[in-house]
Amino acid sequence: MKLETTYQTATTEGDPIPKVLVVDDEPNIRELVQVALKFHGCAVTTSATGMDALALATATSPDLIVLDVVLPDIDGFEVCRRLRASDNDVPVIFLTARDTTSDTVTGLTLGGDDYITKPFSVEALVARVRAVLRRAAKRDATEDGDDGPTLRVADLELDEEHWIVRRAGTPVELSPTEFRLLAYLMRNQGLMLSRKQLLENVWGWEYAGQSQVLETYVSYLRRKLDPLGPPLIHTQRGVGYTLRSP
């Protein structure tokens, strides 16, 4: 991992400075990520342990956390679990050397927003940070009362302004990632969406190399929606998914 010197500044004059907490027990990794994100206009705080990360997340209210999974005290998954249990929905990008599908799914299921494996490209990390911050800013703008449409397909309703989902009048509890995936499917109802399209637009990834994560989340949505009515999400083998009226 080498820090290149050809980066362009990510922020524009007048934009709020995003606050990022970087948690990694390797000093060289912390410094590398800190330098890269500061160059791109972020205010960066660092930590080497999970417990310190939890304290800093409360004290500094970061806009995003870059969180190593393997830490000397509690692991990154447990840090994320405790944050979500305390209703802290700060976006989290997991950073780890463990490159397995089960770890990826675990991290995202706990409420993580992305997952990057070591060794990593600094350019890719910065791009992921930008993508997650953009999604978070869009979500926050919606929650603050900007216009957000209510999407409807058959008896399914999704209120983007208040983050509420109902099917046949019954509230459906969704995680942030499940909500984003369902909203994208509903905005494009009737269209066959490829796995690559869904990964890029829901997770912000620029490749379709983690399709099992997508399949896992489609499965989660079906488990929550299908008991309340006819199936709405349909699979086209080898292509992708579509959401349409029964």
Side-chain angles (χ1 to χ4, degrees):
M1 292 173 287
K2 182 175 68 175
L3 180 61
E4 302 292 342
T5 58
T6 57
Y7 294 124
Q8 299 297 315
T9 302
T11 58
T12 58
E13 187 176 356
D15 287 344
I17 297 175
K19 297 183 294 181
V20 179
L21 173 59
V22 177
V23 186
D24 198 297
D25 63 337
E26 298 182 53
N28 60 320
I29 300 294
R30 288 199 307 274
E31 182 179 1
L32 178 71
V33 177
Q34 181 179 33
V35 169
L37 294 179
K38 280 188 173 181
F39 189 87
H40 283 270
C42 297
V44 182
T45 305
T46 64
S47 171
T49 68
M51 294 305 296
D52 284 347
L54 288 170
L56 285 168
T58 299
T60 65
S61 299
D63 298 301
L64 181 144
I65 300 177
V66 177
L67 180 61
D68 191 19
V69 170
V70 180
L71 296 170
D73 49 357
I74 58 174
D75 67 22
F77 291 152
E78 179 62 21
V79 171
C80 187
R81 187 180 290 110
R82 294 188 188 186
L83 288 171
R84 299 304 183 242
S86 64
D87 293 326
N88 187 331
D89 62 353
V90 58
V92 172
I93 296 178
F94 285 108
L95 186 64
T96 184
R98 302 199 314 211
D99 184 14
T100 66
T101 299
S102 62
D103 281 338
T104 304
V105 172
T106 296
L108 297 175
T109 302
L110 286 172
D113 293 77
D114 209 336
Y115 195 101
I116 301 176
T117 56
K118 302 175 183 178
F120 60 88
S121 158
V122 176
E123 295 93 334
L125 174 62
V126 171
R128 303 286 187 87
V129 167
R130 285 176 169 175
V132 172
L133 286 171
R134 281 196 302 268
R135 290 204 306 267
K138 185 175 181 180
R139 181 194 67 192
D140 291 344
T142 298
E143 290 178 343
D144 287 341
D146 290 356
D147 289 340
T150 296
L151 304 174
R152 293 182 176 85
V153 178
D155 59 355
L156 180 64
E157 295 184 2
L158 182 146
D159 184 340
E160 292 191 283
E161 181 174 348
H162 300 100
W163 279 60
I164 294 172
V165 175
R166 293 188 181 90
R167 181 152 199 209
T170 301
V172 180
E173 295 293 329
L174 299 181
S175 71
T177 302
E178 290 166 349
F179 187 94
R180 290 196 303 269
L181 175 58
L182 181 60
Y184 189 75
L185 287 166
M186 292 180 71
R187 285 191 215 105
N188 295 277
Q189 60 174 298
L191 298 179
M192 181 58 62
L193 302 170
S194 70
R195 290 173 172 81
K196 183 174 184 293
Q197 281 178 288
L198 289 163
L199 286 167
E200 287 177 351
N201 287 280
V202 177
W203 280 268
W205 297 345
E206 297 180 353
Y207 57 90
Q210 297 288 346
S211 63
Q212 184 155 347
V213 172
L214 171 60
E215 291 162 5
T216 299
Y217 273 93
V218 169
S219 175
Y220 292 161
L221 286 178
R222 284 172 167 159
R223 289 178 196 171
K224 294 181 178 183
L225 298 175
D226 289 1
L228 301 173
L232 297 173
I233 301 174
H234 304 274
T235 304
Q236 179 66 46
R237 291 187 181 277
V239 181
Y241 300 94
T242 184
L243 185 146
R244 61 176 183 267
S245 297

mmCIF file of all heavy atoms in Angstrom, residues 70-91:
data_model
loop_
_atom_site.group_PDB
_atom_site.id
_atom_site.type_symbol
_atom_site.label_atom_id
_atom_site.label_comp_id
_atom_site.label_asym_id
_atom_site.label_seq_id
_atom_site.Cartn_x
_atom_site.Cartn_y
_atom_site.Cartn_z
ATOM 1 N N VAL A 70 -9.827 -6.781 13.306
ATOM 2 C CA VAL A 70 -8.960 -7.419 14.298
ATOM 3 C C VAL A 70 -8.291 -6.341 15.144
ATOM 4 O O VAL A 70 -7.402 -5.628 14.681
ATOM 5 C CB VAL A 70 -7.902 -8.306 13.620
ATOM 6 C CG1 VAL A 70 -7.021 -8.961 14.671
ATOM 7 C CG2 VAL A 70 -8.566 -9.358 12.746
ATOM 8 N N LEU A 71 -8.727 -6.228 16.398
ATOM 9 C CA LEU A 71 -8.202 -5.245 17.336
ATOM 10 C C LEU A 71 -7.731 -5.953 18.595
ATOM 11 O O LEU A 71 -8.151 -7.085 18.873
ATOM 12 C CB LEU A 71 -9.286 -4.208 17.673
ATOM 13 C CG LEU A 71 -9.761 -3.336 16.511
ATOM 14 C CD1 LEU A 71 -10.992 -2.527 16.908
ATOM 15 C CD2 LEU A 71 -8.644 -2.401 16.042
ATOM 16 N N PRO A 72 -6.880 -5.326 19.405
ATOM 17 C CA PRO A 72 -6.290 -6.030 20.551
ATOM 18 C C PRO A 72 -7.238 -6.300 21.707
ATOM 19 O O PRO A 72 -6.953 -7.149 22.547
ATOM 20 C CB PRO A 72 -5.157 -5.085 20.989
ATOM 21 C CG PRO A 72 -5.542 -3.743 20.467
ATOM 22 C CD PRO A 72 -6.265 -4.005 19.193
ATOM 23 N N ASP A 73 -8.366 -5.603 21.776
ATOM 24 C CA ASP A 73 -9.307 -5.853 22.877
ATOM 25 C C ASP A 73 -10.593 -6.466 22.332
ATOM 26 O O ASP A 73 -10.693 -7.667 22.165
ATOM 27 C CB ASP A 73 -9.547 -4.586 23.698
ATOM 28 C CG ASP A 73 -9.879 -3.362 22.843
ATOM 29 O OD1 ASP A 73 -9.879 -3.464 21.604
ATOM 30 O OD2 ASP A 73 -10.151 -2.295 23.427
ATOM 31 N N ILE A 74 -11.594 -5.669 22.036
ATOM 32 C CA ILE A 74 -12.795 -6.179 21.378
ATOM 33 C C ILE A 74 -12.639 -5.970 19.877
ATOM 34 O O ILE A 74 -12.003 -5.009 19.436
ATOM 35 C CB ILE A 74 -14.071 -5.487 21.900
ATOM 36 C CG1 ILE A 74 -13.996 -3.964 21.685
ATOM 37 C CG2 ILE A 74 -14.294 -5.803 23.368
ATOM 38 C CD1 ILE A 74 -15.275 -3.236 22.031
ATOM 39 N N ASP A 75 -13.203 -6.882 19.081
ATOM 40 C CA ASP A 75 -13.005 -6.753 17.636
ATOM 41 C C ASP A 75 -13.954 -5.712 17.039
ATOM 42 O O ASP A 75 -14.865 -5.204 17.692
ATOM 43 C CB ASP A 75 -13.123 -8.102 16.932
ATOM 44 C CG ASP A 75 -14.519 -8.700 16.975
ATOM 45 O OD1 ASP A 75 -15.497 -7.961 17.171
ATOM 46 O OD2 ASP A 75 -14.643 -9.926 16.792
ATOM 47 N N GLY A 76 -13.695 -5.398 15.771
ATOM 48 C CA GLY A 76 -14.478 -4.372 15.104
ATOM 49 C C GLY A 76 -15.946 -4.716 14.989
ATOM 50 O O GLY A 76 -16.809 -3.832 15.032
ATOM 51 N N PHE A 77 -16.267 -6.008 14.825
ATOM 52 C CA PHE A 77 -17.665 -6.410 14.759
ATOM 53 C C PHE A 77 -18.379 -6.066 16.067
ATOM 54 O O PHE A 77 -19.515 -5.586 16.062
ATOM 55 C CB PHE A 77 -17.777 -7.910 14.482
ATOM 56 C CG PHE A 77 -17.343 -8.322 13.108
ATOM 57 C CD1 PHE A 77 -16.841 -9.605 12.881
ATOM 58 C CD2 PHE A 77 -17.426 -7.458 12.031
ATOM 59 C CE1 PHE A 77 -16.444 -10.010 11.621
ATOM 60 C CE2 PHE A 77 -17.024 -7.845 10.755
ATOM 61 C CZ PHE A 77 -16.533 -9.118 10.559
ATOM 62 N N GLU A 78 -17.711 -6.307 17.187
ATOM 63 C CA GLU A 78 -18.318 -6.002 18.478
ATOM 64 C C GLU A 78 -18.454 -4.484 18.668
ATOM 65 O O GLU A 78 -19.445 -4.014 19.245
ATOM 66 C CB GLU A 78 -17.486 -6.595 19.618
ATOM 67 C CG GLU A 78 -18.022 -6.312 21.015
ATOM 68 C CD GLU A 78 -19.413 -6.897 21.262
ATOM 69 O OE1 GLU A 78 -19.809 -7.830 20.536
ATOM 70 O OE2 GLU A 78 -20.097 -6.403 22.183
ATOM 71 N N VAL A 79 -17.486 -3.718 18.174
ATOM 72 C CA VAL A 79 -17.597 -2.252 18.232
ATOM 73 C C VAL A 79 -18.849 -1.800 17.482
ATOM 74 O O VAL A 79 -19.651 -1.009 17.990
ATOM 75 C CB VAL A 79 -16.347 -1.576 17.638
ATOM 76 C CG1 VAL A 79 -16.559 -0.064 17.509
ATOM 77 C CG2 VAL A 79 -15.122 -1.860 18.496
ATOM 78 N N CYS A 80 -19.038 -2.323 16.276
ATOM 79 C CA CYS A 80 -20.206 -1.950 15.481
ATOM 80 C C CYS A 80 -21.490 -2.406 16.159
ATOM 81 O O CYS A 80 -22.481 -1.673 16.196
ATOM 82 C CB CYS A 80 -20.094 -2.552 14.081
ATOM 83 S SG CYS A 80 -21.375 -2.011 12.928
ATOM 84 N N ARG A 81 -21.469 -3.613 16.719
ATOM 85 C CA ARG A 81 -22.650 -4.141 17.402
ATOM 86 C C ARG A 81 -23.051 -3.218 18.563
ATOM 87 O O ARG A 81 -24.225 -2.906 18.751
ATOM 88 C CB ARG A 81 -22.367 -5.550 17.908
ATOM 89 C CG ARG A 81 -23.586 -6.252 18.489
ATOM 90 C CD ARG A 81 -23.225 -7.645 18.968
ATOM 91 N NE ARG A 81 -22.942 -8.554 17.856
ATOM 92 C CZ ARG A 81 -21.732 -9.024 17.556
ATOM 93 N NH1 ARG A 81 -20.686 -8.678 18.292
ATOM 94 N NH2 ARG A 81 -21.565 -9.842 16.545
ATOM 95 N N ARG A 82 -22.081 -2.760 19.340
ATOM 96 C CA ARG A 82 -22.382 -1.886 20.476
ATOM 97 C C ARG A 82 -22.853 -0.508 20.022
ATOM 98 O O ARG A 82 -23.728 0.094 20.649
ATOM 99 C CB ARG A 82 -21.151 -1.756 21.381
ATOM 100 C CG ARG A 82 -20.766 -3.065 22.065
ATOM 101 C CD ARG A 82 -19.674 -2.862 23.099
ATOM 102 N NE ARG A 82 -19.179 -4.134 23.608
ATOM 103 C CZ ARG A 82 -18.306 -4.250 24.596
ATOM 104 N NH1 ARG A 82 -17.815 -3.159 25.186
ATOM 105 N NH2 ARG A 82 -17.903 -5.437 25.007
ATOM 106 N N LEU A 83 -22.287 -0.013 18.940
ATOM 107 C CA LEU A 83 -22.752 1.270 18.402
ATOM 108 C C LEU A 83 -24.217 1.183 17.992
ATOM 109 O O LEU A 83 -25.025 2.048 18.326
ATOM 110 C CB LEU A 83 -21.894 1.685 17.206
ATOM 111 C CG LEU A 83 -20.476 2.153 17.498
ATOM 112 C CD1 LEU A 83 -19.693 2.301 16.196
ATOM 113 C CD2 LEU A 83 -20.486 3.487 18.246
ATOM 114 N N ARG A 84 -24.562 0.131 17.260
ATOM 115 C CA ARG A 84 -25.945 -0.008 16.792
ATOM 116 C C ARG A 84 -26.899 -0.244 17.967
ATOM 117 O O ARG A 84 -28.036 0.243 17.962
ATOM 118 C CB ARG A 84 -26.050 -1.158 15.790
ATOM 119 C CG ARG A 84 -25.206 -0.965 14.527
ATOM 120 C CD ARG A 84 -25.532 0.327 13.805
ATOM 121 N NE ARG A 84 -24.778 0.463 12.565
ATOM 122 C CZ ARG A 84 -23.909 1.429 12.314
ATOM 123 N NH1 ARG A 84 -23.683 2.364 13.234
ATOM 124 N NH2 ARG A 84 -23.272 1.505 11.166
ATOM 125 N N ALA A 85 -26.437 -0.973 18.995
ATOM 126 C CA ALA A 85 -27.283 -1.220 20.166
ATOM 127 C C ALA A 85 -27.580 0.067 20.923
ATOM 128 O O ALA A 85 -28.611 0.182 21.595
ATOM 129 C CB ALA A 85 -26.614 -2.228 21.099
ATOM 130 N N SER A 86 -26.692 1.056 20.791
ATOM 131 C CA SER A 86 -26.911 2.348 21.450
ATOM 132 C C SER A 86 -27.549 3.369 20.515
ATOM 133 O O SER A 86 -27.514 4.567 20.774
ATOM 134 C CB SER A 86 -25.584 2.896 21.990
ATOM 135 O OG SER A 86 -24.683 3.174 20.929
ATOM 136 N N ASP A 87 -28.131 2.866 19.394
ATOM 137 C CA ASP A 87 -28.812 3.712 18.403
ATOM 138 C C ASP A 87 -27.878 4.700 17.716
ATOM 139 O O ASP A 87 -28.310 5.761 17.266
ATOM 140 C CB ASP A 87 -29.989 4.467 19.040
ATOM 141 C CG ASP A 87 -31.110 3.542 19.458
ATOM 142 O OD1 ASP A 87 -31.317 2.529 18.761
ATOM 143 O OD2 ASP A 87 -31.760 3.816 20.475
ATOM 144 N N ASN A 88 -26.607 4.365 17.641
ATOM 145 C CA ASN A 88 -25.652 5.179 16.895
ATOM 146 C C ASN A 88 -25.542 4.593 15.498
ATOM 147 O O ASN A 88 -25.043 3.481 15.315
ATOM 148 C CB ASN A 88 -24.290 5.172 17.601
ATOM 149 C CG ASN A 88 -23.303 6.130 16.963
ATOM 150 O OD1 ASN A 88 -23.362 6.406 15.774
ATOM 151 N ND2 ASN A 88 -22.360 6.637 17.761
ATOM 152 N N ASP A 89 -26.044 5.319 14.495
ATOM 153 C CA ASP A 89 -26.064 4.789 13.132
ATOM 154 C C ASP A 89 -24.972 5.397 12.255
ATOM 155 O O ASP A 89 -25.107 5.483 11.041
ATOM 156 C CB ASP A 89 -27.437 5.006 12.495
ATOM 157 C CG ASP A 89 -27.805 6.482 12.380
ATOM 158 O OD1 ASP A 89 -27.061 7.335 12.914
ATOM 159 O OD2 ASP A 89 -28.846 6.788 11.757
ATOM 160 N N VAL A 90 -23.850 5.820 12.885
ATOM 161 C CA VAL A 90 -22.728 6.350 12.111
ATOM 162 C C VAL A 90 -22.305 5.316 11.060
ATOM 163 O O VAL A 90 -22.202 4.131 11.356
ATOM 164 C CB VAL A 90 -21.548 6.708 13.038
ATOM 165 C CG1 VAL A 90 -21.084 5.505 13.846
ATOM 166 C CG2 VAL A 90 -20.390 7.278 12.241
ATOM 167 N N PRO A 91 -22.076 5.732 9.814
ATOM 168 C CA PRO A 91 -21.623 4.776 8.794
ATOM 169 C C PRO A 91 -20.282 4.155 9.175
ATOM 170 O O PRO A 91 -19.403 4.824 9.725
ATOM 171 C CB PRO A 91 -21.488 5.647 7.538
ATOM 172 C CG PRO A 91 -22.391 6.813 7.778
ATOM 173 C CD PRO A 91 -22.333 7.067 9.249
#
